[in-house]
Amino acid sequence: MSDVLAKLHELNPTLDFKHISDPAFERFGHYLPQYDATEMIERTAAIVPQTERVAYETSVAALEEPSALNTALIQEVYGGMDVQVGWCYGHNNALNGVEYHRGSEVNVMVTDAIFLVGHLQDVEFGEEIRYDTARIGAFYAPKGSVIECPAWNLHMAPISVREGEQFCVLVYLPRGTNEKLPYTVPQTGENRLLRAVNKWMMGHPSLERMIQGGVYPGLVGENPTVKPI
């Protein structure tokens, strides 16, 4: 076990942290060690802003400029689909909610990051929609890691590994994902979770601002929180 994992276990005894390469991650997604992210990490690190919160941009022109990694992911993971490249960065220590998409999300670690993830199969769809946070998996993804989160993956913003350290992750998605929804749907069934283009989301009921903003309060149990090293 790496020193980072050992420290995360010591500080967070209720979360069974594993490395992103552990076979346990296969239930939630795919670890893609065949891709070299060095060029994109250097490009991103040179321009990423600083923030005390969590920032996400769906499409960043400088990140979408040609690179060997961008070409490989578009051709091999997405089969030639139109793909947007954005980023998520900042400071975060809790799950707070989960979202999923109809299509894979690829994440490239510009820094070390922690992912709290779930499986869509574990969501209870009925008169009420519920996901028990006790089913969450906790994974450490070191800088340079590349992972694919398929359509069944439940996820939210990554979490910082070290106290005071800003995380940064590149986010590849089918183009248009997370943009403002240009229509409305009846608020029944799974439609209650649809928050943006190709984005279904639930929040933890303890986050009053999120719930008041219209996010469905579907998470039950604790809001998993990580103590950084």
Side-chain angles (χ1 to χ4, degrees), residues 98-114:
V98 296
E99 67 178 18
Y100 58 95
H101 314 292
R102 298 288 197 256
S104 287
E105 174 175 323
V106 171
N107 296 130
V108 175
M109 299 336 121
V110 179
T111 65
D112 289 357
I114 289 168

Side-chain angles (χ1 to χ4, degrees), residues 60-95:
V60 179
L63 303 178
E64 293 182 346
E65 292 178 1
S67 73
L69 179 63
N70 287 355
T71 297
L73 293 178
I74 291 169
Q75 292 182 350
E76 298 172 16
V77 176
Y78 290 97
M81 291 173 61
D82 191 11
V83 173
Q84 65 195 28
V85 187
W87 53 16
C88 186
Y89 58 91
H91 298 265
N92 181 41
N93 69 345
L95 178 65

Side-chain angles (χ1 to χ4, degrees), residues 53-56 88-99 105 107 113-117 154-160 167 169 171 199 201 210 224 226:
R53 305 180 70 180
V54 174
Y56 171 66
C88 186
Y89 58 91
H91 298 265
N92 181 41
N93 69 345
L95 178 65
N96 297 328
V98 296
E99 67 178 18
E105 174 175 323
N107 296 130
I114 289 168
F115 284 82
L116 300 181
V117 292
L154 306 177
H155 58 274
M156 207 64 180
I159 291 173
S160 301
F167 73 83
V169 173
V171 182
K199 176 190 180 84
M201 180 178 175
M210 179 185 290
V226 175

Side-chain angles (χ1 to χ4, degrees), residues 43 45 49-50 78 91 93 97 105 115 182 189 192 203 215 220 227:
R43 180 189 299 185
Q50 296 292 311
Y78 290 97
H91 298 265
N93 69 345
E105 174 175 323
F115 284 82
R192 291 172 286 178
V215 175
V220 297
K227 186 172 183 180

